[in-house]
Amino acid sequence: MPGFELFGESEKSQVQQVLDTGVLMRYGFDGMRNNQWKALELEKALASRMGTKHAQLVSSGTAALTVALVSAGVGAGDEVLVPTFTFVASFESILAIGAVPILVDVDDTLTLDPIAVEKAITPRTKVVMPVHMCGSMADLKALKNICTKYNLLLVEDACQAIGGSYDGKPLGSYGDLGCFSFDYVKTITCGEGGAIITDTDEYLKNADHYSDHGHDHVGKDRGAETHPFLGYNFRISELNAAVGCAQLQRLDEFLEIQKKHYTILRKSIEPLSGVTFRRVPIGGVENYSFLSFFLPRQEVAEQVNLALSNAGVDACFYWFDNNWHYYRKWDHLTNLTSLGKLPQEVIQQLPDYSKADFSKSDEWIGRTISCLIKLSWTEEQVHNRAQKMRTVLSKFL
Ligand SMILES: *Cc1c(COP(=O)(O)O)cnc(C)c1O
């Protein structure tokens, strides 16, 4: 997945152009900047690549989720449905605005189970937020139908699946709003950064203002701009955006490499009986950043995970025991351990997750292993790895 593996001349040259003018901020300083607007340039390129009307850059993927929710009018006490298998950023972005994260089971797509989503809807539900984990997507058509039926927003977290598609549309562009992360370990990186994409003018305007203290960005004098509503600072810097300008141009090259490596590994273990693969919804194309597969039982998955690591097959993950990606270890959320006082809405409405039954998620995640697909492997390394994976797996099947 990580674009940082292929950090090269085009990234350096983009950053150098920013350093040459010395204008590190995305707004203002028109006289000094030599007509160079890296953040704007990246927003245009991203919207064009994703086929959306708009893109708004922000400082991180977590900020993108927060700003996307705020831009669509989500606030205190609103319930947002998120999967049990995700990154902690999902509930952080929701809690940050006083809204309430409602965890929902995942199925064999390793993303939101549409049946569980419909069951979790209450009169307070505002948003369904699928997270396209490990390069593949949720059943977006089913989720969109639910959103239409109950008048809910569909906000896609495509942070781990940039470049994948569903029903011919780039992931992130199918819902009302889509979010990307460009942190250091994502498929393409800015160092730190994130983006929101949308076709809705109003959301774009809100995101633009909100992520810069409420500035309306009218005229040429920042100090004289007005503030139609309260905002915050989630700005990206020109330096980070410059790295992204180079990386976005290489996205399709990265996807091709990922697909090639993924296919070699998959073909090597596919014939083994007992290995099955995560379900990709019909009409979906992965971005191939991970190869995720199921083993017949939880104990087997645990043993295989250990054996892979002992055999030197690195970068494979057993999410069931992971501190950051699966609900079982989120005791800080379960216990609402926070530095300061939380909003009443959150305290009153957050379900008691210590008593929750997510056995349906456990059935899938307990048997899942995901192996990261690296860009920097040589062909020989990929084939070696494929051989090793097959040898290790066949010992347990
Ligand atoms: C990385 C990631 C985020 C958050 O991105 P940051 O840029 O690190 O804040 C959100 N959701 C998912 C699924 C991610 O993988």
Side-chain angles (χ1 to χ4, degrees), residues 1 59-63 65 86-87 89-90 131-133 157-160 180-183 185-186 192-194 325:
M1 166 154 93
S59 50
S60 71
T62 312
L65 295 168
T86 178
F87 178 50
S90 295
V131 184
H132 306 315
M133 285 296 281
D157 178 341
C159 291
Q160 292 197 9
F180 298 113
S181 163
F182 303 125
D183 79 21
V185 295
K186 297 305 200 283
E192 297 283 1
H325 292 283

Side-chain angles (χ1 to χ4, degrees), residues 215-229:
H215 272 269
D216 65 8
H217 298 141
V218 173
K220 292 269 176 209
D221 178 359
R222 260 181 84 72
E225 287 174 8
T226 66
H227 26 66
F229 48 77

Side-chain angles (χ1 to χ4, degrees), residues 163-185:
S165 67
Y166 178 83
D167 213 4
K169 289 172 79 82
L171 294 179
S173 72
Y174 193 90
D176 298 287
L177 294 130
C179 298
F180 298 113
S181 163
F182 303 125
D183 79 21
Y184 194 53
V185 295

